[in-house]
Amino acid sequence: MVRTGLSALLMMGTWAAVGPIQASAADSPSSAEAQASAGIITAMQRDLGLTKSQAEARLTAEKAATSLQGKASGAAGASFGGSWFDAESGRLTVAVTDPAKVGDVRATGARVQVVDHTARELDATKKRLDALSAPSGVSSWHVDPRANSVVVNVVASEQGDNDVRTFVAKARKAGPVTVKQTAEAPQTFAAGTVGGDPYYTGNVRCSIGFSVHGGFVTAGHCGQAGGAVRGWDGSAIGNFQGSSFPENDYAWVNVGSGWWTVPVVLGWGTVSDQLVRGSNEAPIGASICRSGSTTHWHCGNVLAKNETVNYSQGAVRQMTKTSVCAEPGDSGGSFISGDQAQGVTSGGWGNCSSGGETWHQPINEILNRYGLTLHTA
């Protein structure tokens, strides 16, 4: 019987022990296949409605767009209004407020859109919203470069609530704001203890995110600093060395007691496991996949960045929103784009039967906060 819990990978201690990504004799790996396992390609076909060649082409285009972001934003200078990946054209689009900068940005290879507000202005508006107290009927808010405004998401059934209307009125005074409806309020994805899953702390089951040198990162709401962590088999893994929730939703756990770390994201026996090679941040619009102990592999798109999510326990800031589904027990699990680590699962709404949205805490913020180094292949 093949063990799909991450602890099995950790105790093996080597990539070779769990099996390398292999191509059939009839196929030679493309550039897209070199950066993503067949499992990610399969999941993108299932969840994004793509053919195999379309998924491979999209990953190649997204990698190019990710590499272009810094150069293109630098060309825009102070007039930079944000950027995003457009799946239809396969190119990065950069917003600018100064028409004189259009040529400079186009020269980098990016598409250009002229807008009214700079990214700095939009960030300042969002910061003013962050200072407000939000009622439960307000789901989240984020800077949307495509809309060139701050988008406030309101739970549809709560839009007539007086507290919600008051918050929206204050938000509109803060700067350029667009109000949208969402189906449900967000919640974290921790779950009660069940057998055969990656790790437990107390009576909570969560999912391992990414291996770092000396341990792994996961969601902060899964446990507090000092809390003991057990593997799927009940054996001790280590302890939470740091944890933050709310305001943030990240934590890291040291690994010992015979456990090892490897730069791998699980495919759960249904798709190939994925090697982790870095943590370059994918742009808005890029495809992204998630691995968790409850719902395993699912894919979607990056919808927004730097979003403030209003959980019942308190607001969590600087989150990335995706169209990927998740369910209780998936908390802390891996978000990956191609072979680049993106973040750890925090929460969302919906499920993997009817769909929904899920947020992750960006991986680079976690690494910087705790001075950790991502374990890469």
Side-chain angles (χ1 to χ4, degrees), residues 35 40 62 66 69 209-210 217 265 276-284 286-290 302 305 318-320 322 333-345 359-367 374:
Q35 64 160 321
I40 282 187
E62 287 173 355
T66 299
Q69 285 181 112
F210 291 94
V217 294
V265 172
V276 178
R277 299 188 184 277
S279 59
N280 293 327
E281 187 177 344
I284 292 171
S287 63
I288 192 167
C289 296
R290 180 193 56 73
V302 178
K305 295 184 180 183
Q318 297 180 310
M319 301 270 269
T320 297
T322 75
S334 320
F335 265 94
I336 189 166
S337 185
D339 57 7
Q340 300 296 304
Q342 298 298 304
V344 300
T345 304
W359 287 270
H360 70 73
Q361 186 89 70
I363 182 68
N364 289 328
E365 179 183 358
I366 308 172
L367 299 176
L374 187 67

Side-chain angles (χ1 to χ4, degrees), residues 157-176:
S157 61
E158 300 290 331
Q159 59 182 332
D161 179 79
N162 286 335
D163 290 340
V164 171
R165 295 174 69 171
T166 298
F167 181 90
V168 169
K170 291 180 179 178
R172 292 190 188 281
K173 293 179 181 179

Side-chain angles (χ1 to χ4, degrees), residues 111-125:
R111 300 177 71 180
V112 188
Q113 181 171 313
V114 179
V115 297
D116 294 327
H117 307 288
T118 66
R120 182 173 296 179
E121 291 170 339
L122 296 177
D123 287 341
T125 297

Side-chain angles (χ1 to χ4, degrees), residues 13-15 210-211 261-265 274-277 374-377:
T14 64
W15 169 240
F210 291 94
S211 289
T261 64
V262 289
V264 173
V265 172
Q274 175 65 35
L275 283 171
V276 178
R277 299 188 184 277
L374 187 67
H375 191 167
T376 57

